[in-house]
């Protein structure tokens, strides 16, 4: 938080005085409204094109990445009947995230730099697993987009893969950068088959 003291002041001004030792009387109307509200909450998966003519020429192919600050050496995207598997590799490990097509696909990843963090100190240490729900779509015939929601945190990442012939450009946008309207600190990855 950029203003933790302000948030704590609100707790002391509003929440603490409202707390009482005895339970409140039951309010069935308020319970019904709360149940209805909770049932309607959802984070929709990405919707878009289900396929692209580009998919067949890139599916399962390994893209060798140019030198980058993240240390990733290669990337691949393998399409399946109901989604895709996005993978990045560094010198020692391969990190894969399955993405549902028009739906969420849950998994776990220890991909460096994910999930984004609000506190100083950057990303969690390499190898720290995070649970993720991922959804993907073709935004246009040459652009595959993924939304990665780290559902044990308030954060998400948008990953965009733009293909041109045998080349790819992979860019990232964290929920924090998006919220502040700034560029993501992770530079785009570029590579070729």
């Amino acid at each position: 938080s950029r203003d933790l003291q302000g948030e704590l002041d609100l707790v002391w001004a509003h929440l603490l005085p409202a707390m009482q030792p005895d339970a409140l009387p039951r309010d069935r109307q308020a319970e019904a409204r709360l149940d209805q509200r909770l049932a309607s909450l959802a984070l929709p998966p990405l919707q878009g094109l289900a396929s692209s003519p580009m998919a067949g020429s890139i599916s399962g192919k390994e893209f060798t990445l140019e030198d980058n600050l993240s240390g990733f050496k290669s990337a691949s995207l393998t399409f399946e009947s109901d989604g895709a598997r996005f993978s990045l590799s560094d010198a020692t490990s391969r990190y894969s995230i399955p993405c549902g097509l028009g739906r969420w696909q849950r998994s776990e990843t220890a991909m460096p730099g994910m999930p984004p963090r609000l506190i100083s100190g950057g990303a969690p240490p390499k190898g720290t697993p995070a649970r993720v729900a991922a959804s993907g779509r073709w935004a246009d015939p040459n652009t595959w987009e993924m939304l990665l929601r780290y559902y044990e945190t308030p954060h998400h990442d948008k990953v965009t893969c733009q293909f041109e012939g045998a080349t790819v450009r992979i860019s990232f946008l964290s929920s924090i950068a998006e919220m502040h309207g700034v560029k993501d600190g992770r530079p785009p990855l570029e590579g070729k088959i």
Side-chain angles (χ1 to χ4, degrees):
S1 170
R2 292 178 183 255
D3 184 18
L4 182 57
Q5 187 59 55
E7 292 174 15
L8 291 174
D9 290 347
L10 291 172
V11 168
W12 283 95
H14 300 284
L15 292 181
L16 194 60
M19 293 182 190
Q20 303 296 322
D22 299 324
L24 293 173
R26 188 166 191 175
D27 184 341
R28 293 189 190 278
Q29 288 180 339
E31 284 181 34
R33 285 193 308 272
L34 178 61
D35 288 344
Q36 184 178 13
R37 174 76 174 130
L38 292 175
S40 70
L41 294 177
L43 294 170
L46 291 178
Q47 301 296 319
L49 301 173
S51 63
S52 162
M54 178 68 72
S57 63
I58 60 170
S59 184
K61 300 285 195 298
E62 199 76 19
F63 288 83
T64 301
L65 300 174
E66 296 175 2
D67 288 342
N68 58 79
L69 296 174
S70 300
F72 292 119
K73 303 292 184 192
S74 65
S76 68
L77 191 59
T78 302
F79 293 97
E80 299 158 356
S81 62
D82 60 348
R85 179 170 296 277
F86 173 68
S87 299
L88 287 173
S89 298
D90 59 20
T92 60
S93 302
R94 182 175 186 86
Y95 310 94
S96 292
I97 299 175
C99 299
L101 183 60
R103 64 180 181 82
W104 293 111
Q105 174 70 49
R106 289 187 186 201
S107 66
E108 189 172 276
T109 185
M111 191 175 289
M114 298 180 180
R117 291 170 38 126
L118 273 174
I119 60 175
S120 62
K126 184 177 176 181
T128 303
R131 291 186 176 152
V132 62
S135 178
R137 72 167 179 185
W138 284 100
D140 64 49
N142 298 321
T143 307
W144 174 257
E145 293 179 336
M146 294 170 283
L147 181 58
L148 312 178
R149 292 208 177 269
Y150 307 100
Y151 57 87
E152 291 182 331
T153 80
H155 302 299
H156 66 266
D157 268 316
K158 292 180 180 176
V159 181
T160 303
C161 302
Q162 294 176 302
F163 299 96
E164 188 173 324
T167 65
V168 66
R169 178 182 172 90
I170 304 168
S171 56
F172 303 90
L173 181 63
S174 73
S175 51
I176 298 166
E178 183 177 29
M179 178 174 56
H180 295 291
V182 298
K183 288 177 64 173
D184 194 288
R186 296 167 287 183
L189 305 173
E190 298 193 15
K192 60 184 177 181
I193 295 176

